[in-house]
Amino acid sequence: MRLAELSARSGVSTATIKYYLREGLLPPGRRVNATQSSYDEGHLRKLRLVRAMVQVGRMPVATVREVLRTVDDESLDHHTRLGVAVSALPHGAGEPPATDPATEEAARRVADELLAGMGWSPVHEEGTELPAYRMLVAALTRLAGFGYPWDVEHLAPYARLARQLAVTDLDHVERYGSPEEQMEAAVALTVLYEPVLLGLRRLADVMESHRRFTGAPGATEG
Amino acid sequence: MRLAELSARSGVSTATIKYYLREGLLPPGRRVNATQSSYDEGHLRKLRLVRAMVQVGRMPVATVREVLRTVDDESLDHHTRLGVAVSALPHGAGEPPATDPATEEAARRVADELLAGMGWSPVHEEGTELPAYRMLVAALTRLAGFGYPWDVEHLAPYARLARQLAVTDLDHVERYGSPEEQMEAAVALTVLYEPVLLGLRRLADVMESHRRFTGAPGATEG
């Protein structure tokens, strides 16, 4: 297919595709004449993955390039290739809390104990921390800073629910066919379902609070 | 207690307390002489609630003032007083998606069907939409814009997990004694547990992906 069709089928503008080509995030097409190239289904799949990482996941181009090197490394197993993209996602909206080294160290111990209790440790590969782990430690530090509970007993029910969320997430990802499509879906759905989940939780909080404190079956009055 | 002690016990600076007093978010203390006032436990509770709404929840001062009017209205039931603060929380990091009225209308129908299926409708009070509902609609519109699934079948498992999250949330809130403390906890824990939840979900995704695609019991190699 020509560039225009690649753009139409991916929903990515031709200017953005040309930028990805220049940056080496997308392999060049097959040259058909001096000014035109031809692209195939492989380009389309790769383009959707790049878009998921750059536009949805907001990964820096250098990180995307690094992830793509792993994705294309056929000596690696499926999990490593799938997990690397999700693991590389920057850790969202959480601005760093006011740094107090002692509190952060304590938060790190609580996080480690929590994850060990879930059978999730060690979560660190090759001496680097996962962005999701730093996100958790920052959130605990912030809870501590404001004086709210952040002990393992309070946190464990959330970790157990997170495990159920992950089962749902991966069920969705496995509906996609190729490893590249699964990777694209894993990145995109990890990020795009975050506000869905937070919105639903807040609605559920309002409903549950109504149920408990008024004895009503669940709905507020219209 | 004097202003300095109120500051020490609440963790809010004296300058910020004076600002809350000027803005009428905190009732004046009892005058002890020309330059000093005395504050009681009621001030401390109210101050922590205001801090939760302003500093943690990032509510505009005008909204906080409005919520406090409801909080102090003893003719209202406990739920209404508790729910109003959480309901008034601004809807987080979700920037508005590129507006396409038809898609947004479709997203609204999907959200309504989803919530009706949970027994959560109507979620609107007095013709206004809850911020959490707008947050959900914006997230669905964004999913649609990127071409990922946003149908009720995909969303329903997340809504069911959100209900379980709310049960955990409200269990935490009920550990607090007075209605004011419960309200403060509800606002603070709703907001501060969001990054905890998202971090845990991302870690769980990495672990679950490892479990499925390598057959390992749950941990990655150190």
Side-chain angles (χ1 to χ4, degrees):
Chain A
M1 74 190 91
R2 296 293 162 82
L3 187 66
E5 189 184 344
L6 185 65
S7 168
R9 286 184 61 193
S10 64
V12 180
S13 71
T14 56
T16 301
I17 295 174
K18 285 178 181 165
Y19 169 70
Y20 293 164
L21 286 164
R22 275 199 308 278
E23 290 288 329
L25 304 184
L26 202 61
R30 190 175 51 80
R31 216 42 181 276
V32 290
N33 62 43
T35 60
Q36 289 192 311
S37 295
S38 164
Y39 304 89
D40 59 23
E41 297 297 319
H43 284 97
L44 183 60
R45 281 198 301 273
K46 182 67 60 78
L47 179 55
R48 286 181 56 109
L49 173 59
V50 169
R51 182 193 64 155
M53 291 193 281
V54 175
Q55 289 181 18
V56 181
R58 308 201 168 177
M59 285 188 205
V61 164
T63 307
V64 171
R65 202 179 285 117
E66 208 170 301
V67 168
L68 289 175
R69 240 196 314 272
T70 311
V71 168
D72 293 332
D73 183 347
E74 303 205 344
S75 72
L76 297 171
D77 64 37
H78 185 48
H79 162 257
T80 304
R81 294 162 75 188
L82 185 64
V84 68
V86 172
S87 305
L89 281 170
H91 55 114
E95 69 281 12
T99 321
D100 162 8
T103 306
E104 198 188 311
E105 196 43 47
R108 211 167 279 275
R109 278 196 303 276
V110 167
D112 291 343
E113 187 187 335
L114 178 70
L115 302 183
M118 297 298 293
W120 288 351
S121 56
V123 293
H124 310 302
E125 306 191 37
E126 293 167 29
T128 63
E129 283 181 349
L130 292 178
Y133 177 82
R134 289 203 298 276
M135 186 173 168
L136 177 62
V137 170
L140 297 185
T141 308
R142 199 147 179 262
L143 269 168
F146 277 110
Y148 294 103
W150 52 294
D151 53 290
V152 172
E153 190 208 343
H154 269 85
L155 296 166
Y158 292 96
R160 286 193 292 270
L161 285 166
R163 171 139 65 193
Q164 289 180 252
L165 281 168
V167 169
T168 304
D169 290 337
L170 270 287
D171 284 350
H172 285 191
V173 167
E174 287 206 274
R175 294 189 194 190
Y176 290 82
S178 71
E180 251 167 7
E181 285 170 308
Q182 288 190 355
M183 205 152 1
E184 174 218 327
V187 169
L189 297 180
T190 294
V191 173
L192 293 174
Y193 268 75
E194 288 185 348
V196 172
L197 181 62
L198 297 184
L200 286 171
R201 172 175 173 248
R202 287 194 185 186
L203 285 168
D205 279 349
V206 172
M207 297 302 150
E208 177 66 13
S209 138
H210 187 63
R211 197 187 63 76
R212 291 198 188 199
F213 299 118
T214 65
T220 59
E221 282 172 5
Chain B
M1 73 189 93
R2 296 293 160 81
L3 187 65
E5 188 184 343
L6 185 64
S7 168
R9 287 185 59 193
S10 64
V12 180
S13 71
T14 55
T16 301
I17 295 175
K18 285 178 181 167
Y19 169 70
Y20 292 165
L21 286 165
R22 276 199 308 277
E23 289 290 327
L25 304 184
L26 200 61
R30 190 174 50 82
R31 215 45 180 275
V32 288
N33 60 43
T35 59
Q36 289 191 312
S37 294
S38 163
Y39 303 90
D40 59 23
E41 297 296 319
H43 283 98
L44 183 61
R45 281 198 301 273
K46 181 66 60 73
L47 178 56
R48 285 182 56 109
L49 173 59
V50 169
R51 183 192 65 157
M53 291 194 281
V54 175
Q55 290 182 17
V56 182
R58 305 199 170 179
M59 286 187 204
V61 164
T63 307
V64 172
R65 203 180 284 116
E66 209 170 299
V67 168
L68 289 175
R69 242 198 310 273
T70 310
V71 168
D72 293 331
D73 183 347
E74 303 204 344
S75 72
L76 297 171
D77 65 37
H78 185 49
H79 161 258
T80 304
R81 295 161 76 189
L82 185 65
V84 68
V86 173
S87 305
L89 281 169
H91 54 112
E95 69 281 11
T99 322
D100 161 8
T103 305
E104 197 188 312
E105 196 44 46
R108 212 168 277 275
R109 279 196 303 276
V110 167
D112 290 344
E113 188 187 335
L114 178 70
L115 302 184
M118 298 297 293
W120 288 351
S121 58
V123 293
H124 310 303
E125 306 191 34
E126 294 169 28
T128 63
E129 284 180 349
L130 292 177
Y133 176 81
R134 289 204 298 276
M135 186 172 168
L136 176 62
V137 170
L140 297 185
T141 308
R142 199 144 179 261
L143 269 168
F146 277 109
Y148 295 101
W150 52 294
D151 52 289
V152 171
E153 190 208 344
H154 269 85
L155 297 166
Y158 292 96
R160 286 192 292 270
L161 285 166
R163 172 140 62 194
Q164 289 179 252
L165 282 168
V167 169
T168 304
D169 290 337
L170 270 287
D171 284 350
H172 285 192
V173 167
E174 288 206 271
R175 294 188 194 191
Y176 290 81
S178 71
E180 251 166 7
E181 285 170 307
Q182 288 190 356
M183 205 152 0
E184 175 218 326
V187 168
L189 297 179
T190 294
V191 173
L192 292 175
Y193 267 76
E194 288 184 348
V196 173
L197 182 62
L198 297 184
L200 286 171
R201 172 175 172 247
R202 288 194 185 185
L203 284 168
D205 280 348
V206 172
M207 297 302 151
E208 177 67 13
S209 136
H210 186 63
R211 198 187 63 77
R212 290 198 189 199
F213 299 119
T214 65
T220 59
E221 281 171 5

